[in-house]
Amino acid sequence: MADRIYLSSPDVTQAEEDALIRAIRSGWVAPLGPEVDAFEEELAAYTGRKYAVALSSGTAALHLALLNLGVGRGDLVLTSSLTFAATANAIVYTGAEPVFVDADETGNMNPDLLEVAFTTLAKEGRTVKAVVPVDLLGKVVNHERIDAIAAAHGVPVLSDAAESLGATRYGRSAGAFGEAAAISFNGNKIMTTSGGGALLTDDEEFAQRTRYLATQARQPVVHYEHTDIGYNYRMSNILAALGRAQLSRLDEMIDRRRQHRIAYRELFTDVPGVTLFGEPSGADGGETHDNFWLTSILVDPEAAGFSSEDLRDALGIRSIESRPLWKPMHLQPVYASATAFIDGTGERLFKDGLSLPSGSVLDPSRFARVAEAITAFLDSTRAAA
Ligand SMILES: *Cc1c(COP(=O)(O)O)cnc(C)c1O
């Protein structure tokens, strides 16, 4: 049996191994140290932000950013329904209530529905404390519109860029938008520290306050004085060393994923009912705004003669992982009673969407295995038609 091919496995090489050994031998086996400082500087430089704070996860970055924005009990936070649960969960950690806004065709928050949400909630006398748009599967949000709408209502934007590190939008890096941005280095993200994340901002006080809250809110005195509730959210020095090695290879890893995208595009040309998800449209200026984290397709079962699930099953039999897009938060049992502004787009993308193996570790022979499996499936459906 051939070994299993995953969507996005960690891509680690000798460079990462060397970095880990360097960190351990330095004696800095702690959630602080020179690797953390250097990683923060390199992250800020890479994304074009003034400050980066390395944390234990992307979820921790979202949580602390929301606290810094003053979000708390009874507040409303507008966020994308089509996202990973971490976005909404971080809002709940603060005591605030997530209000979900549906996606448009790009998979990102629909600006028109965001307007509707603001207007409707204002009529009900409910005030919004923050907007958290999500860069779905690596594609940067339309910040020109989303940020303008939030600004018109005097509400700050926190960018969930957990999936989009390395992408740009009209020359500006993912993570450089909003009051602050959260990025993630979980195991299957575009780069990994096995687990970890960072908060990015241009505001020095925001960065300072994040570091303070992430280290149990310890006042700078010897006897551990506390005037706030803090968290244990810092990244370890060892993992920061891993992150530095990954960051130095990020552009090369993104390029590999871009090659996969090009190959998939070729594979599905002229297949009726199948489109590549999130590809640039003319309306979007022809730019991709994408880091190619995951390549996904949309299958219209009427036109294609098969469903995304049929293809997923066929790949699964050949030990190849594929996965539907995120199940929208407004359809999740845990968020069933949340307020939501929905037009059905996210649900359709969830139903018709399928993410395909996209990792930078996929070498040509393994990618060929995926391509052959897809071709065999497409041939069999054509034969059956
Ligand atoms: C992965 C992810 C997160 C959470 O990051 P962790 O590092 O896993 O905590 C948040 N938001 C989105 C959209 C993600 O994909």
Side-chain angles (χ1 to χ4, degrees):
M1 183 81 182
D3 63 332
R4 191 163 163 80
I5 292 178
Y6 293 94
L7 276 192
S8 180
S9 305
D11 181 351
V12 289
T13 63
Q14 190 67 44
E16 284 77 6
E17 217 174 299
D18 293 346
L20 284 170
I21 290 168
R22 176 185 74 218
I24 287 170
R25 288 189 182 156
S26 75
W28 288 95
V29 183
L32 85 180
E35 301 284 351
V36 175
D37 298 342
F39 187 38
E40 290 181 342
E41 270 173 37
E42 288 160 10
L43 279 172
Y46 186 89
T47 55
R49 280 227 109 139
K50 287 211 179 93
Y51 307 96
V53 181
L55 298 167
S56 54
S57 70
T59 311
L62 289 168
H63 184 192
L64 295 186
L66 290 164
L67 292 177
N68 276 339
L69 292 172
V71 173
R73 199 157 302 282
D75 292 331
L76 300 182
V77 176
L78 289 165
T79 192
S80 300
S81 180
L82 193 57
T83 185
F84 178 50
T87 319
N89 291 348
I91 294 166
V92 174
Y93 296 166
T94 68
E97 200 184 305
V99 173
F100 298 113
V101 179
D102 212 339
D104 61 19
E105 290 304 320
T106 67
N108 289 338
M109 182 185 277
N110 182 330
D112 296 331
L113 284 177
L114 178 64
E115 282 276 23
V116 172
F118 267 116
T119 312
T120 309
L121 293 169
K123 269 193 210 137
E124 294 171 0
R126 305 166 78 196
T127 48
V128 175
K129 205 67 188 261
V131 178
V132 186
V134 179
D135 295 344
L136 192 80
L137 307 188
K139 192 174 170 109
V140 183
V141 162
N142 180 346
H143 283 284
E144 301 85 74
R145 282 207 63 201
I146 297 283
D147 296 16
I149 294 165
H153 292 87
V155 172
V157 169
L158 165 61
S159 160
D160 183 341
E163 301 175 3
S164 59
L165 182 64
T168 57
R169 186 172 179 96
Y170 302 122
R172 191 163 162 195
S173 295
F177 295 88
E179 222 62 33
I183 54 179
S184 167
F185 312 120
N186 209 328
N188 68 351
K189 293 281 155 70
I190 194 120
M191 64 167 260
T192 186
T193 59
S194 76
L199 179 137
L200 304 167
T201 183
D202 296 322
D203 180 339
E204 184 175 10
E205 206 183 306
F206 202 113
Q208 284 303 346
R209 178 120 188 120
T210 303
R211 288 198 178 92
Y212 163 74
L213 289 176
T215 46
Q216 304 287 23
R218 267 166 53 189
Q219 294 294 333
V221 290
V222 287
H223 59 266
Y224 286 26
E225 181 95 350
H226 300 276
T227 53
D228 292 291
I229 299 295
Y231 302 86
N232 183 7
Y233 276 174
R234 272 301 238 168
M235 177 181 281
S236 92
N237 194 60
I238 292 174
L239 298 187
L242 179 54
R244 292 182 69 197
Q246 286 269 286
L247 187 60
S248 75
R249 295 180 50 241
L250 181 57
D251 289 344
E252 162 206 324
M253 293 195 289
I254 288 173
D255 200 55
R256 207 107 26 86
R257 291 186 193 247
R258 183 187 293 115
Q259 298 307 321
H260 298 334
R261 174 73 55 90
I262 292 166
Y264 279 127
R265 192 180 297 141
E266 192 102 326
L267 208 56
F268 289 106
T269 331
D270 303 329
V271 178
V274 178
T275 50
L276 245 58
F277 171 66
E279 286 283 87
S281 64
D284 221 8
E287 283 221 1
T288 62
H289 313 306
D290 199 343
N291 66 356
F292 310 99
W293 175 49
L294 293 182
T295 292
S296 313
I297 54 169
L298 298 176
V299 180
D300 171 358
E302 294 280 301
F306 63 89
S307 68
S308 61
E309 199 179 340
D310 294 334
L311 176 54
R312 179 157 55 88
D313 290 343
L315 294 174
I317 287 164
R318 291 168 178 251
S319 264
I320 296 168
E321 184 187 26
S322 61
R323 198 170 56 197
L325 305 193
W326 301 123
K327 180 174 180 176
M329 289 303 114
H330 70 276
L331 300 176
Q332 298 286 356
V334 70
Y335 288 117
S337 64
T339 307
F341 295 85
I342 299 305
D343 71 3
T345 303
E347 185 167 0
R348 181 169 48 75
L349 294 175
F350 165 60
K351 220 163 80 262
D352 293 346
L354 191 70
S355 296
L356 301 167
S358 306
S360 48
V361 278
L362 276 182
D363 57 18
S365 82
R366 309 184 95 223
F367 191 85
R369 224 181 92 201
V370 179
E372 274 162 32
I374 290 171
T375 306
F377 171 81
L378 293 175
D379 288 347
S380 74
T381 59
R382 271 191 215 105

